[in-house]
Amino acid sequence: MPRLVGYLARRVLQAVPILLGIAIFNCLLLHLAPGDAADVLAGEAGGASEEYLAQMKAKFGLDQPLYVQLGRYLANVATLDLGFSFRHNMAVADLIGGRLPATLLLMVTAVAVAFALGIVLGVTAARHVRRPIDGLVSVIALLAYATPIFWIGLMMILLFSVHLGWLPSGGMMTVGTDLSAFDRLADIARHMVLPTVTLALFYLALYTRLMRASMLEIYGQDFVTTARAKGLDERRVAYRHVFRNAVLPMITMLGLQVGSLLGGSVLVETVFGWPGLGRLAFEAVFQRDHNLLLGILLVSSLLVVGINVLVDLAYAKLDPRIELR
Amino acid sequence: MSLSRFLLSFVFTALIGTPLAHAQEPARGGTLTMVVQPEPPSLVSAFNSAGPIGVVSTKILEGLLTYDYDMNPKPALAETWKVSPDGKTITFNLRKGVKWHDGKDFTSADVQFSAMKVWKELHPRGRSTFAKLTAVETPSPLVAVFKLSEPSPYMMVALSGYEGQMLPKHLYDGTDIAQNPYNNKPVGTGPFVFKEWEKGNFILLERNPNYWDKGKPYLDKIVMRIIPDAAARAAAFETGEVLLGGFSPVPLNDVKRLEATGKFDLETKGYEYLAPLFLLEFNLKNKYLQDKRVRQAIAHAVNRDLVVKTVWFGFGKPATGPVPSVLTQFYSANVPAYAFDVKKADQLLDDAGFKRGADGKRFKLVHDFLPYGSDYQRTAEYLKQALGKVGIDVEIRSQDTAAFLKRVYTDNDFDLTSNFFYALPDPTIGVQRIYWTKNIKKGVPFSNASGYSNPEMDQVIEAVQVEHDRRKRKELIAKMQSLAQEDLPVLDLFEVRFFTLANKKVQDHTNSAEGVYGSFSGVWLKK
């Protein structure tokens, strides 16, 4: 146990300079984009007087030199304050917090579905390698991976919403109706189906391919031959010996993707009007809402660092040969 | 007309007229789900004229007046009004018993506060629209007197719920108005009360049971959904999840298909107040574009009919000058015109001394287009083709809106832009800004970017601002249009026709020049 605590403490300490570097890098990078939040607001408003523009820039701190803006931002972050979005007239932390549930709900469900189904399909394909069922799985995975995600989304809307009328075409819930708690959950679930499936299809392809390849690699190793030689049946070989070893790369992949969870999926969120963080970040780029964008990037990088630690811990658990140092 | 025919027509009117009148009996109740795109940054129009804010805000907050299709003022929060003979005093008698949604009385103090502290100081156009307004006197809670240093006839069209919105003094006085938390949860006097705004998802409004116009509004709720993808918006219309949307809510190439279903009304009226105009700006610092003949050649080289018909699917009308034809009170057709004529364009360019080189090209221009969607990009592509035919090599440069605005209005680093302006109900508010020397302002979006400066034009513009006599003012505005077409610092390509798409269930959604900027108190749903 003390070993684990020491490990975690070291990882947290290491994370501080990484996060600081990310914050500074992002800040500098964003300032390369021409135009600022005040320009965008004035442009959308169809104009502004010189005085009002100057007033706005002063209020947003945009009239200050870059190092002052950067210093102010870092000082804020050091006190765990992500700053204020002048465009939304709201604290950045509140804006991110408001989008977090929708983002997590969609992304976690989609990744979980893709992960589980990917394992099933990958294992199936590997156990029937070079037989028709393997070919079928591979074709489906390739198609799902190669088709543009927004197109799949739109086609699903056309089929299931417009033509069949089974599912709502977008949004997260039916607004303006009073539903009981249970009906509300069912309503959200109905709205979730299409975006989840669209997003999961994309991830599913990755997991299936990876699982299949990784299973096949393990099948070729000596201990599998040994297991077969001592008379174990194929099913037992597949699940007890091969699967447990083959699932490690899947965990790596899962870790990578969970890290990008907060970023959401701009395309799926846009097509289905899902109120997630991806869209918020995407729009913040065009609105030059730097505080908001920096906030989202910082929270995302925090998550990546955190997930990496978790993945390492999971490795140690799954494979006793791996040690935490 | 003989007596019998007169009688016959009378009978016909009676026969046709009566059942229609019956069908128009409004029904109470129901939820109107509409789209608003893009998502508004806040919900108060009093100091931010962004389009999507206007769509939401005007249901909650109101102005002193409202307008019919010809921009004649009608009572809203002001019941009656009187302009003094010299045009310098306007007395508004306010409606009795109007309450803000939080229960406080609406009084002349609110009018004074909104005009002097909000519109005049913070509204992007307010500073010029209300420039001559020196004070608002409040002799009684129900009388507000506007005092002007000089007559400002255009001020009377700027008092709608969108352009001259009333804010509650008791919630805004003494605060930082632009950062006031009520900007995201407005308290107004309008037919609908703000209920909830889930960012990125929806805005919910509920019926105001204490609305001053008794019996109205007819709807129980309005849900404004934010659907960022245009094709997904079209799908939401088709499934009936969305019943109404303004500002051309679906892709232009989807319109025919949607219309064919017979489920929708396509309404292009209701945008007269904005009078949108698509134009090319020439940077007069450019050594080629400095020459008037080059600008006129470009005008001849562009087939405006084709732009409207093919690029914009017919949702426009070729423009003849800087004042759109929907502004019936001011539009003048009697201006220099430039018919589509490639030969003449070639001739003018030759005359200007810019002969074709061995490769057939005369010179090169860089074209920046306002990145508001694929229609704008396609227009730029057409222009490249059209100008290429007369030997002008055009390079299209694309960027996002922030970069475009900075390039054009701060850095002045462009040759040619395709851009989009609202002409607005009065040329003093919307049109003069493009041509006035005093409006060459670095860093100010949608100012005079071409750098055009003509003392004669300035004189006309300034005379239009203070001319109180309607007829004389109209003549001056006609002169302004002639001058603009003669000098061509910008080339007005076409009047944009936005459309409102509505499910046939939705009744009376468009009944004035304000269109989707109306209060929607009279909108109802057929059962």
Side-chain angles (χ1 to χ4, degrees), chain A residues 76-305:
Chain A
N76 272 345
V77 170
T79 59
L80 297 181
D81 175 5
L82 290 178
F84 193 80
S85 161
F86 291 98
R87 180 187 178 82
H88 292 275
N89 209 7
M90 274 170 88
V92 169
D94 291 344
L95 272 168
I96 296 179
R99 298 289 183 102
L100 212 50
T103 311
L104 290 180
L105 184 63
L106 175 64
M107 295 299 284
V108 169
T109 318
V111 170
V113 168
F115 187 76
L117 263 179
I119 287 179
V120 172
L121 288 178
V123 170
T124 311
R127 291 194 62 198
H128 302 87
V129 70
R130 280 186 279 282
R131 271 183 278 164
I133 198 162
D134 177 32
L136 187 70
V137 168
S138 294
V139 166
I140 292 174
L142 256 177
L143 262 181
Y145 187 65
T147 318
I149 197 166
F150 69 91
W151 189 81
I152 296 189
L154 283 175
M155 289 306 119
M156 298 243 268
I157 292 178
L158 272 187
L159 181 62
F160 293 106
S161 306
V162 176
H163 287 295
L164 296 174
W166 291 351
L167 293 163
S169 69
M172 193 179 160
M173 58 178 92
T174 313
V175 190
T177 47
D178 296 315
L179 295 175
S180 67
F182 179 78
D183 289 342
R184 175 57 73 200
L185 280 180
D187 181 51
I188 293 178
R190 267 166 49 80
H191 281 82
M192 267 181 71
V193 174
L194 290 184
T196 308
V197 169
T198 307
L199 200 55
L201 267 181
F202 174 79
Y203 288 123
L204 173 68
L206 290 179
Y207 287 121
T208 306
R209 299 293 297 171
L210 186 68
M211 191 68 207
R212 178 180 176 276
S214 150
M215 286 282 284
L216 289 179
E217 196 194 327
I218 308 287
Y219 264 125
Q221 291 194 1
D222 292 345
F223 76 89
V224 179
T225 318
T226 313
R228 281 186 178 134
K230 70 180 182 187
L232 293 182
D233 64 87
E234 266 310 303
R235 177 178 294 268
R236 216 172 146 77
V237 169
Y239 292 105
R240 267 306 275 279
H241 296 269
V242 180
F243 174 77
R244 274 193 69 180
N245 285 291
V247 89
L248 276 180
M250 294 285 279
I251 302 289
T252 314
M253 182 64 114
L254 184 66
L256 278 176
Q257 281 176 346
V258 171
S260 64
L261 273 190
L262 275 197
S265 165
V266 179
L267 287 174
V268 168
E269 287 172 17
T270 302
V271 169
F272 291 100
W274 191 266
L277 269 175
R279 249 171 71 201
L280 190 67
F282 184 68
E283 284 160 9
V285 174
F286 292 101
Q287 296 156 353
R288 299 290 188 272
D289 192 344
H290 289 178
N291 279 355
L292 176 56
L293 194 53
L294 284 172
I296 297 173
L297 292 175
L298 195 70
V299 173
S300 295
S301 43
L302 199 67
L303 188 78
V304 172
V305 172

Side-chain angles (χ1 to χ4, degrees), chain B residues 76-141:
Chain B
L77 287 177
E79 240 172 350
T80 59
W81 55 93
K82 212 177 129 222
V83 184
S84 69
D86 66 356
K88 291 188 187 175
T89 306
I90 310 172
T91 309
F92 291 97
N93 295 305
L94 308 182
R95 200 175 286 280
K96 237 206 307 245
V98 177
K99 288 196 188 303
W100 294 101
H101 294 158
D102 63 1
K104 296 266 195 318
D105 284 329
F106 163 74
T107 69
S108 55
D110 295 311
V111 181
Q112 183 189 46
F113 174 78
S114 302
M116 301 306 291
K117 289 279 186 304
V118 186
W119 309 339
K120 241 181 106 83
E121 291 188 9
L122 301 173
H123 193 281
R125 302 187 275 263
R127 232 183 255 256
S128 53
T129 309
F130 299 102
K132 311 284 192 298
L133 178 68
T134 52
V136 175
E137 290 170 1
T138 54
S140 92

Side-chain angles (χ1 to χ4, degrees), chain A residues 22-97:
Chain A
I22 290 173
I24 294 175
F25 180 73
N26 284 339
C27 217
L28 296 177
L29 201 64
L30 291 186
H31 271 91
L32 291 178
D36 58 40
D39 291 336
V40 176
L41 277 172
E44 285 175 350
S49 66
E50 276 164 306
E51 298 87 340
Y52 185 45
L53 257 172
Q55 229 172 296
M56 257 204 292
K57 290 194 187 213
K59 193 158 59 187
F60 298 179
L62 296 169
D63 54 343
Q64 302 291 324
L66 179 54
Y67 67 89
V68 176
Q69 293 187 39
L70 181 63
R72 279 184 186 168
Y73 184 73
L74 293 179
N76 272 345
V77 170
T79 59
L80 297 181
D81 175 5
L82 290 178
F84 193 80
S85 161
F86 291 98
R87 180 187 178 82
H88 292 275
N89 209 7
M90 274 170 88
V92 169
D94 291 344
L95 272 168
I96 296 179

Side-chain angles (χ1 to χ4, degrees), chain B residues 68-290:
Chain B
D68 64 12
Y69 280 122
D70 293 313
M71 296 311 306
N72 298 308
K74 302 275 165 212
L77 287 177
E79 240 172 350
T80 59
W81 55 93
K82 212 177 129 222
V83 184
S84 69
D86 66 356
K88 291 188 187 175
T89 306
I90 310 172
T91 309
F92 291 97
N93 295 305
L94 308 182
R95 200 175 286 280
K96 237 206 307 245
V98 177
K99 288 196 188 303
W100 294 101
H101 294 158
D102 63 1
K104 296 266 195 318
D105 284 329
F106 163 74
T107 69
S108 55
D110 295 311
V111 181
Q112 183 189 46
F113 174 78
S114 302
M116 301 306 291
K117 289 279 186 304
V118 186
W119 309 339
K120 241 181 106 83
E121 291 188 9
L122 301 173
H123 193 281
R125 302 187 275 263
R127 232 183 255 256
S128 53
T129 309
F130 299 102
K132 311 284 192 298
L133 178 68
T134 52
V136 175
E137 290 170 1
T138 54
S140 92
L142 291 179
V143 179
V145 184
F146 281 40
K147 291 284 185 190
L148 308 170
S149 59
E150 279 176 271
S152 315
Y154 47 88
M155 209 186 77
M156 284 306 280
V157 293
L159 297 172
S160 72
Y162 165 64
E163 193 75 14
Q165 192 173 65
M166 286 295 153
L167 286 186
K169 183 182 179 186
H170 63 279
L171 297 177
Y172 278 85
D173 199 15
T175 68
D176 178 353
I177 292 167
Q179 299 289 308
N180 190 300
Y182 286 100
N183 295 340
N184 283 358
K185 44 174 182 174
V187 171
T189 55
F192 294 93
V193 180
F194 171 81
K195 190 77 189 164
E196 192 185 359
W197 180 8
E198 200 169 292
K199 287 238 175 194
N201 201 353
F202 65 87
I203 299 162
L204 175 63
L205 313 181
E206 283 186 352
R207 182 174 192 269
N208 175 7
N210 307 314
Y211 190 50
W212 53 262
D213 199 352
K214 290 290 165 236
K216 285 183 177 175
Y218 299 122
L219 297 166
D220 285 335
K221 287 173 188 170
I222 299 182
V223 175
M224 316 239 183
R225 281 185 51 188
I226 291 120
I227 306 177
D229 185 70
R233 285 196 291 273
F237 271 100
E238 280 194 272
T239 61
E241 286 166 85
V242 162
L243 300 178
L244 184 134
F247 291 93
S248 312
V250 297
L252 299 183
N253 49 6
D254 269 344
V255 172
K256 266 222 169 81
R257 184 173 59 82
L258 290 175
E259 262 195 307
T261 63
K263 288 199 293 189
F264 304 102
D265 282 332
L266 188 86
E267 179 60 81
T268 54
K269 285 180 93 172
Y271 298 95
E272 294 81 358
Y273 194 93
L274 298 171
L277 204 56
F278 193 102
L279 46 82
L280 291 188
E281 285 163 309
F282 301 117
N283 190 340
L284 302 189
K285 283 202 209 76
N286 179 286
K287 66 173 172 181
Y288 307 111
L289 294 170
Q290 257 170 13

